[in-house]
Amino acid sequence: MTQQMKNIQHLLPEFERWKERYPAGFEGSLTIPCLRRIQEERGYIADSDIDELVAYLGVPRTQVDEVLGFYTMFTRTPLGTHHLQVCHNASCSLRGAEGLIRYLCGTLGIQPGETTPDGRFTLSTAECLASCGTAPMMMVNEAYHENLTPASVDALLEELAK
Amino acid sequence: MTSPYPTPELSGRKFFMNFPVTDTSHALDAYRARGGYQALAKALREQQPADVTKEVSAAGLLGHGGAAFPAGRKWSVIRPDDGEPHYVCMNADEGEPGTFKDRWLLEYVPHMPLEGLILASYAIGGRHAFIYIRGEFDLAYRRIQGAVDEAYAAGLLGENILGTGYALDVVVYRGAGSYVCGEASAMLASLEGKKGWPRNRPPRLTVKGLYQKPTVVNNVETLANVPVILALGAAEFKKTGTPKSPGTQMISISGHVERPGVYEVEYGYSWERFIYDDCGGIQGGRALKCIIPGGVSTKILDANEIKGVTLDHLSAVAAGSQLGSGGMIAVAEGTCMVRLARVIQRFYHHESCGQCTPCREGMGWMERVLDRIVRGDGRPDDIDRLYHISNANDGTTICSLGDSAGYACTAILDHYRDEFEYYIKNGRSMHDGRLAVFDPFDGAVPTPLYAGAGA
Amino acid sequence: MSADRKRGNNEPVDTGKTLDFFINGVPCTAYKGESVIQAARRAGVDIPHFCWHHDLSVPGNCRICMVEVEQDSGDPWFDIGCNMPVTAGMRVLTETDTVKKLRRETMQFITLNHPVDCGICNKAGECILQDYHYEHNGRASMSIDRKNHATKFFPLSDRIMLDNERCIMCTRCVRFTHEVSQSHALAAVHRGDHALIRPAEDANFNEDAYSDNVIDICPVGALLSRDNMDNARVWYTKATPSVCPGCERGCTINIWHRKPEWALKALDPQLNTRIERVTPLENETVNGPWICNKARDLATLLERPRATQAMVRGTAASLTEATAAAAALLAGARTAVALVSSWGSNEELAAFRDAFAGRLGATLTAYAKPDHLPQPGEIVEDAVLIKADKNPNLRGATAHFHLLPADVSAALAGADVVLVWGEGVDDGVLPMGAKVIRLDGFAHEHHARADVFIPLSIQTERSGHYTNFEGTVSPFVACFEPKAPVAHAEALFARLAGVVAVAEART
């Protein structure tokens, strides 16, 4: 390809290895795993990442635009260092998720959807994360934190704030 | 930081998950020590693909994803030797509120559904198989990916599995945050690297699925049962459970029970015994108000309605509901059902893909109406409105997200209309409005991390 | 257009095999593989639909085409008709109470968040949503909550405005760009009732030569032409069938112009005789339901400054005087050459041949010429509709006359009289000393230098036929009366040839 791949050049060997496990003609399938990988590194998906990925995979730009708009885990803008996603679905609500969210808002001084001014924490609500038996809980970036209490939340935030 | 799940409680007898959960019980050697992959070796060496399907059909295995469709029947649509590529996709996109048993299986016994996936692929003549897993899953992903890596290293995947000449590649495909991708056709759209828009049928996925090729989508637990069936044989397998529901169900129970968790329950077990004995009854010594049996769209059964009912498909249907995916939520007396309904509809609205008219418009409408009621601004005809939207989504949508939302809403309305009428008339809940019996954060005063941050 | 494109059905249809079934008790025939909505359409039964289009893939998202299927035993079942394969003996019902209730409910949902913009929306009067509201619902909204708000004036391109509030997410426009124009320029982003149609972020919808077709296929007023915005209410205009002269594909079109009975009296009279817009006139054999943007912009082509004054050697003359002068020149010519317009209708071309039959091959040689060549920046040819020959009837002209050779000067060398009919011939190629007669509808400054100039009517002022590149003959009908005294070429040639006396008749 003639396109300069300055953003994702270093990831291409990994992407090529992934391709080997897929049947021939499945290149389009790599859209989502590649975007996950790019976001894992950069923290968000930059516009230039998309240009390069489209050129590499040969998928229509609309496919990537639609994927980025459809799935909640992709972000086009940087988030806080620690993304706190609190489940507020049925079972979690029945075991104190609403109290947890209030507590986090009070501790961090932000509402769901917002990021602390120092860029450390972003708070979001999430739907069922399949942790119903260990509710209330939240994800911090990739990790699950379950059976939360005020003490465990305080300890966790203190650790993350370092 | 991960927290261990309670180990599955065994209600009386030892069933298929009869091993102690430790730090290493998920690994390949531990699984093999328990007899794992013997069924696969036997099938690849001694049985034809059609034999595997026959055995699974004879065992009467029903899908564990919620629809309870006979697994063998789904597989038998595909002719293994028709020269077309065929695919099996393990549906590990567990997203139904209240359901977390697939996560348990992937974290603690990943090789079991993996072995089932390889067997299913063999049965339908597949060369590639996929595991579509929740994008949010953390340990579950690492464990199943680890299991796949172990299988490759041990010659259980790749070219020439166990020297039998059968070849299979498995891709673990992580989702990216969409409940509707748990619907089989949306899952395949997502696997093609696109947005998760479900598809109309016809054609069925077993005729035109992934990249328009015949595809079988099976739930994690369904596939976990396959090596069990092949190891025991169909006849022996059918000695567990009931005639119409053979085997066991991994029940996820949460909500207001003392001991929430994942339990392997033999079909036919007493529902009341399960709730009051095994799960420790209701928090705070309260009475049980109702159970949402198997995913939030299954019809609510109140405490009276589960009397004498056993945990199996026929019995649940006779009682007026369904077992679904076994994601059970217990609600204690004194809980505001209006607020619970709102939480559930907020979820459906958030997850609607937006493709078809009744769901796209109806989900938002329902949430707006319930929001308004909960805010104290409900109108008398709001109940009719909610029924209307629910009924207008019944059987009219591309996938069952719309119907499910309708069923969830009407089930709560049918049982607790008085609570809605009260809320609308008085602008507040009939109860104290709280959803939790014990809220660990009740009364806790947060210490602001940042100076000047308010509570 | 590729053969495997999905046209109204995601599965292939075998027109060689038929099935018998019933719609509302009436026996019908379907091709094998056809859906209920396809077979119904051919049988003249209109099942309401928004998202289905007979020339695009089937998404099955609007849900208004739900039909009832009767069974011998058990309850009837209901499903969308656009994705329902016809089976032998099937009994489809489209007007039962349940079907009507389903349509009403679908209309409730579709109009739930739809802004009541009819008073200011350009689609009013030709809006499927309006029509279906009256036919299938007619009731007020059951919602008392706020509607969703979204972008109201999103410039999708220089030519098209998108109103996201009006959009019902039928995705016809998105599918069009993927399946027909292949520009892949549109996408449906976000989820649920926040889903929006948006252009692909690297795409320039301006570069899609077929972009404006999405305006036609949009069932509501979400996609509107920026050029035609707020010009005239559609019910004050009428559509006259015509043929696009932009290239030899000869797409059949509708030219919209003000209805005579709704002529404006107080404003610029030119508004009564201008082209309001151009839309496709569906044609199985030529262009299907599509046209390119050049056809949309026909006003630019056809409303260029007109030639309105006959001239003899640059001095104003009457039509009669100019015709007589031209006839005299032709009568006295020893080696006349005529360059025949490829914008001439079949009738005009035949009239030319008949009028000069006596001289053709002897004192008169006639060549068919391309009046227009591809302009810089114009797409020359593509795999969809656009053809390289930018004239509507070169085929019709070459049926009678030889094609003008590339070396025009050589072909004209030695001619003592040159008759140039139409555009595309500069003075530079004309032989020195030859007498020049020019006939043209459009103003060019070289007309004043001709020995005789006669202004002609243009396509919108007369009726006739063109023959396209495949030999398909299509009619065009007059939209307007000529504004100035111009000649109709068809009647003019007989007078130029002296077959008919110049002074005879006024037409």
Side-chain angles (χ1 to χ4, degrees):
Chain A
M1 57 215 96
T2 53
Q3 166 110 11
Q4 268 275 72
M5 297 274 161
K6 41 189 263 300
N7 288 17
I8 68 172
Q9 184 68 51
H10 63 292
L11 295 172
L12 297 186
E14 206 175 331
F15 296 168
E16 287 293 308
R17 274 200 309 280
W18 292 350
K19 265 192 201 167
E20 289 164 19
R21 289 270 175 90
Y22 288 79
F26 271 49
E27 288 73 31
S29 293
L30 285 171
T31 305
I32 294 175
C34 290
L35 285 170
R36 279 195 70 121
R37 184 71 184 88
I38 292 168
Q39 183 168 303
E40 186 182 73
E41 246 197 18
R42 185 197 285 287
Y44 66 100
I45 311 274
D47 291 348
S48 45
D49 295 329
I50 304 174
D51 296 329
E52 292 183 18
L53 187 63
V54 166
Y56 168 66
L57 290 176
V59 295
R61 176 63 189 249
T62 49
Q63 183 169 329
V64 181
D65 288 347
E66 288 178 341
V67 160
L68 289 173
F70 184 85
Y71 296 98
T72 57
M73 289 178 75
F74 291 125
T75 174
R76 300 284 296 270
T77 51
L79 298 174
T81 313
H82 307 292
H83 187 192
L84 311 180
Q85 297 176 79
V86 188
C87 173
H88 69 168
N89 205 311
S91 295
C92 281
S93 292
L94 292 172
R95 290 186 87 90
E98 295 180 335
L100 167 59
I101 293 172
R102 259 195 317 274
Y103 192 79
L104 284 169
C105 291
T107 309
L108 298 172
I110 54 175
Q111 292 299 306
E114 295 176 352
T115 302
T116 52
D118 66 353
R120 243 202 197 91
F121 299 103
T122 298
L123 180 64
S124 304
T125 53
E127 298 301 336
C128 185
L129 295 169
S131 262
C132 324
T134 48
M137 57 79 62
M138 65 182 172
M139 277 178 81
V140 179
N141 294 350
E142 306 256 298
Y144 273 36
H145 296 267
E146 300 162 87
N147 289 320
L148 293 172
T149 61
S152 64
V153 169
D154 287 343
L156 175 61
L157 289 180
E158 196 182 301
E159 186 65 35
L160 295 174
K162 286 198 187 126
Chain B
M1 180 169 110
T2 59
S3 67
Y5 264 100
T7 56
E9 297 290 335
L10 305 172
S11 309
R13 281 173 50 185
K14 289 188 185 299
F15 299 110
F16 313 131
M17 305 298 158
N18 56 350
F19 62 94
V21 174
T22 66
D23 284 341
T24 52
S25 48
H26 60 277
L28 177 58
D29 46 10
Y31 182 65
R32 278 188 133 147
R34 299 195 294 267
Y37 288 109
Q38 283 177 20
L40 177 65
K42 175 155 168 270
L44 293 183
R45 291 188 178 125
E46 298 168 31
Q47 290 174 295
Q48 290 298 306
D51 297 330
V52 175
T53 305
K54 269 203 212 76
E55 198 70 26
V56 168
S57 297
L61 175 65
L62 298 174
H64 285 271
F69 189 84
R73 196 192 307 170
K74 192 188 276 188
W75 296 5
S76 63
V77 174
I78 299 180
R79 275 189 26 240
D81 51 2
D82 66 3
E84 284 275 282
H86 308 137
Y87 304 110
V88 181
C89 180
M90 181 193 300
N91 187 339
D93 195 55
E94 186 170 55
E96 186 64 36
T99 316
F100 45 104
K101 48 124 179 139
D102 292 336
R103 178 187 158 192
W104 189 94
L105 288 166
L106 294 168
E107 288 182 353
Y108 296 105
V109 64
H111 279 286
M112 209 161 152
L114 180 57
E115 186 180 357
L117 181 66
I118 306 172
L119 283 162
S121 300
Y122 179 66
I124 63 143
R127 172 66 185 81
H128 291 88
F130 299 86
I131 298 170
Y132 188 100
I133 189 170
R134 273 299 285 279
E136 296 90 339
F137 277 175
D138 168 27
L139 179 63
Y141 163 68
R142 285 184 276 125
R143 290 272 169 94
I144 189 67
Q145 181 66 66
V148 168
D149 295 340
E150 284 184 308
Y152 269 102
L156 293 160
L157 280 174
E159 303 285 341
N160 201 10
I161 295 174
L162 294 174
T164 63
Y166 179 60
L168 182 71
D169 276 314
V170 169
V171 169
V172 179
Y173 198 91
R174 302 179 82 179
S178 164
Y179 163 77
V180 75
C181 285
E183 194 277 338
S185 64
M187 174 170 290
L188 299 185
S190 188
L191 255 174
E192 293 181 10
K194 302 176 184 157
K195 61 188 189 297
W197 275 16
R199 230 192 49 195
N200 283 294
R201 304 341 181 246
R204 285 170 297 168
L205 300 179
T206 41
V207 174
K208 287 208 171 138
L210 188 60
Y211 288 101
Q212 301 297 301
K213 301 299 178 205
T215 306
V216 161
V217 178
N218 278 136
N219 174 262
V220 175
E221 190 187 348
T222 312
L223 290 171
N225 273 273
V226 173
V228 173
I229 289 170
L230 289 180
L232 292 177
E236 192 61 33
F237 179 80
K238 282 163 81 154
K239 290 182 182 163
T240 8
T242 68
K244 282 288 161 70
S245 301
T248 63
Q249 172 88 42
M250 302 288 285
I251 303 236
S252 329
I253 177 121
S254 63
H256 293 151
V257 286
E258 283 291 353
R259 291 194 287 273
V262 179
Y263 295 77
E264 187 187 9
V265 171
E266 187 182 7
Y267 282 120
Y269 193 71
S270 154
W271 206 324
E272 282 188 292
R273 189 171 158 205
F274 177 63
I275 299 288
Y276 295 116
D277 288 353
D278 300 281
C279 299
I282 305 303
Q283 285 177 308
R286 291 202 201 178
L288 172 69
K289 181 166 183 166
C290 64
I291 297 264
I292 308 178
V296 289
S297 66
T298 53
K299 291 193 169 61
I300 280 181
L301 294 173
D302 64 36
N304 286 322
E305 288 170 314
I306 65 165
K307 284 186 168 42
V309 181
T310 49
L311 289 166
D312 59 87
H313 297 98
L314 270 186
S315 194
V317 169
S321 183
Q322 303 135 268
L323 268 192
S325 54
M328 208 170 280
I329 304 177
V331 182
E333 205 56 71
T335 307
C336 178
M337 297 305 287
V338 179
R339 295 201 59 240
L340 184 61
R342 184 223 165 208
V343 166
I344 293 172
Q345 290 310 326
R346 179 179 61 193
F347 158 72
Y348 281 118
H349 179 208
H350 186 259
E351 301 295 343
S352 168
C353 77
Q355 223 191 147
C356 70
T357 308
C359 174
R360 178 183 68 244
E361 307 296 343
M363 300 300 101
W365 191 4
M366 282 216 271
E367 193 198 346
R368 280 199 282 281
V369 172
L370 284 163
D371 260 349
R372 195 164 36 74
I373 295 174
V374 162
R375 274 199 326 262
D377 191 19
R379 309 293 158 82
D381 53 0
D382 279 337
I383 295 178
D384 284 338
R385 242 176 226 117
L386 291 169
Y387 271 113
H388 171 91
I389 302 166
S390 302
N391 295 333
N393 264 276
D394 187 0
T396 60
T397 50
I398 296 179
C399 80
S400 58
L401 196 153
D403 313 78
S404 296
Y407 300 149
C409 190
T410 50
I412 299 177
L413 278 171
D414 285 346
H415 277 83
Y416 302 106
R417 191 188 180 106
D418 55 339
E419 292 197 33
F420 286 80
E421 285 172 345
Y422 186 99
Y423 216 129
I424 289 169
K425 180 155 177 262
N426 298 290
R428 59 180 171 78
S429 173
M430 197 177 195
H431 309 287
D432 62 11
R434 291 154 56 86
L435 286 173
V437 172
F438 285 132
D439 181 340
F441 296 85
D442 215 12
V445 178
T447 312
L449 259 182
Y450 302 95
Chain C
M1 305 201 221
S2 72
D4 60 355
R5 197 157 79 60
K6 293 172 183 153
R7 311 181 90 114
N9 197 325
N10 292 342
E11 303 296 325
V13 171
D14 183 356
T15 52
K17 298 197 178 82
T18 57
L19 297 158
D20 293 323
F21 74 117
F22 301 90
I23 303 181
N24 299 327
V26 175
C28 299
T29 316
Y31 295 130
K32 187 166 193 304
E34 266 192 326
S35 62
V36 165
I37 209 174
Q38 283 180 308
R41 180 171 178 259
R42 279 192 311 103
V45 176
D46 185 35
I47 297 177
H49 53 278
F50 288 112
C51 68
W52 183 73
H53 188 282
H54 63 277
D55 211 36
L56 297 173
S57 64
V58 178
N61 64 51
C62 75
R63 316 309 283 183
I64 199 158
C65 70
M66 298 276 282
V67 296
E68 182 169 334
V69 182
E70 233 179 355
Q71 301 203 98
D72 287 331
S73 59
D75 292 332
W77 53 281
F78 299 85
D79 207 343
I80 49 177
C82 62
N83 195 52
M84 185 188 285
V86 176
T87 55
M90 194 180 213
R91 300 200 298 276
V92 176
L93 303 171
T94 66
E95 297 300 329
T96 62
D97 286 342
T98 314
V99 171
K100 289 181 182 171
K101 177 174 85 85
L102 289 168
R103 286 179 190 158
R104 239 184 355 258
E105 286 169 353
T106 306
M107 289 306 298
Q108 261 290 329
F109 282 129
I110 288 215
T111 52
L112 182 78
N113 287 303
H114 190 87
V116 188
D117 279 353
C118 301
I120 54 165
C121 175
N122 274 248
K123 199 81 175 184
E126 52 180 16
C127 172
I128 302 181
L129 190 68
Q130 275 186 335
D131 294 343
Y132 284 178
H133 177 76
Y134 284 109
E135 283 171 44
H136 304 298
N137 181 17
R139 298 181 189 186
S141 176
M142 290 175 62
S143 171
I144 59 167
D145 293 290
R146 59 167 173 79
K147 297 194 179 214
N148 280 336
H149 291 297
T151 322
K152 284 200 81 66
F153 291 102
F154 186 93
L156 206 58
S157 73
D158 293 343
R159 306 171 65 94
I160 302 177
M161 190 64 77
L162 166 63
D163 184 318
N164 286 112
E165 287 188 351
R166 298 174 189 170
C167 174
I168 60 169
M169 289 301 294
C170 73
T171 68
R172 277 179 168 190
C173 56
V174 175
R175 286 176 283 129
F176 175 82
T177 68
H178 290 302
E179 297 165 20
V180 179
S181 71
Q182 312 263 323
S183 66
H184 304 287
L186 298 179
V189 296
H190 303 313
R191 207 158 80 180
D193 56 3
H194 306 298
L196 297 170
I197 302 295
R198 278 287 175 272
E201 290 182 18
D202 67 340
N204 195 342
F205 201 29
N206 288 318
E207 288 166 15
D208 184 336
Y210 300 89
S211 65
D212 289 25
N213 287 300
V214 303
I215 299 171
D216 303 329
I217 59 178
C218 180
V220 300
L223 291 168
L224 296 169
S225 165
R226 293 174 74 177
D227 291 333
N228 297 338
M229 193 72 79
D230 301 336
N231 284 352
R233 279 302 194 187
V234 67
W235 51 84
Y236 294 139
T237 63
K238 61 184 278 203
T240 299
S242 193
V243 181
C244 174
C247 76
E248 60 168 347
R249 173 78 60 178
C251 298
T252 51
I253 54 176
N254 274 321
I255 295 183
W256 295 76
H257 52 103
R258 200 135 186 118
K259 285 179 181 154
E261 61 268 34
W262 283 109
L264 295 164
K265 294 183 183 123
L267 300 175
D268 183 352
Q270 195 263 339
L271 292 170
N272 293 321
T273 53
R274 74 166 187 191
I275 296 172
E276 290 292 336
R277 63 175 178 167
V278 174
T279 58
L281 174 59
E282 178 144 10
N283 189 324
E284 270 284 316
T285 39
V286 180
N287 51 308
W290 317 117
I291 53 176
C292 77
N293 288 348
K294 184 176 181 182
R296 306 273 172 183
D297 296 340
L298 271 187
T300 339
L301 211 48
L302 296 176
E303 289 176 357
R304 289 176 291 154
R306 296 288 303 281
T308 52
Q309 178 64 57
M311 291 181 278
V312 175
R313 278 185 297 281
T315 312
S318 72
L319 269 177
T320 322
E321 288 163 356
T323 311
L329 281 176
L330 284 165
R334 283 190 307 282
T335 46
V337 176
L339 300 178
V340 170
S341 175
S342 52
W343 283 52
S345 66
N346 290 343
E347 291 79 1
E348 290 170 331
L349 293 164
F352 185 97
R353 183 206 57 211
D354 292 341
F356 290 101
R359 300 185 214 181
L360 278 167
T363 53
L364 174 65
T365 313
Y367 294 105
K369 71 160 159 64
D371 287 32
H372 284 210
L373 295 170
Q375 295 297 298
E378 187 179 1
I379 294 176
V380 176
E381 186 153 340
D382 70 19
V384 189
L385 290 177
I386 299 173
K387 303 293 291 175
D389 175 8
K390 302 301 181 193
N391 303 284
N393 208 9
L394 191 59
R395 172 125 177 189
T398 52
H400 300 296
F401 315 108
H402 291 298
L403 181 63
L404 180 64
D407 190 347
V408 181
S409 313
L412 293 174
D416 56 351
V417 175
V418 179
L419 171 68
V420 181
W421 171 23
E423 300 179 283
V425 180
D426 288 332
D427 285 343
V429 302
L430 300 172
M432 295 271 277
K435 299 290 183 189
V436 178
I437 304 166
R438 283 185 181 275
L439 318 171
D440 197 348
F442 294 102
H444 291 285
E445 51 103 35
H446 54 216
H447 296 330
R449 293 195 288 277
D451 291 280
V452 182
F453 174 72
I454 301 176
L456 295 180
S457 62
I458 60 169
Q459 180 181 328
T460 43
E461 294 161 348
R462 47 186 160 77
S463 301
H465 294 77
Y466 290 139
T467 307
N468 87 343
F469 75 111
E470 286 175 318
T472 306
V473 178
S474 300
F476 58 89
V477 176
C479 305
F480 312 117
E481 289 295 319
K483 286 188 259 257
V486 296
H488 287 303
E490 194 178 343
L492 177 64
F493 294 134
R495 287 187 209 107
L496 288 179
V499 173
V500 164
V502 168
E504 233 177 70
R506 284 295 103 201
T507 41

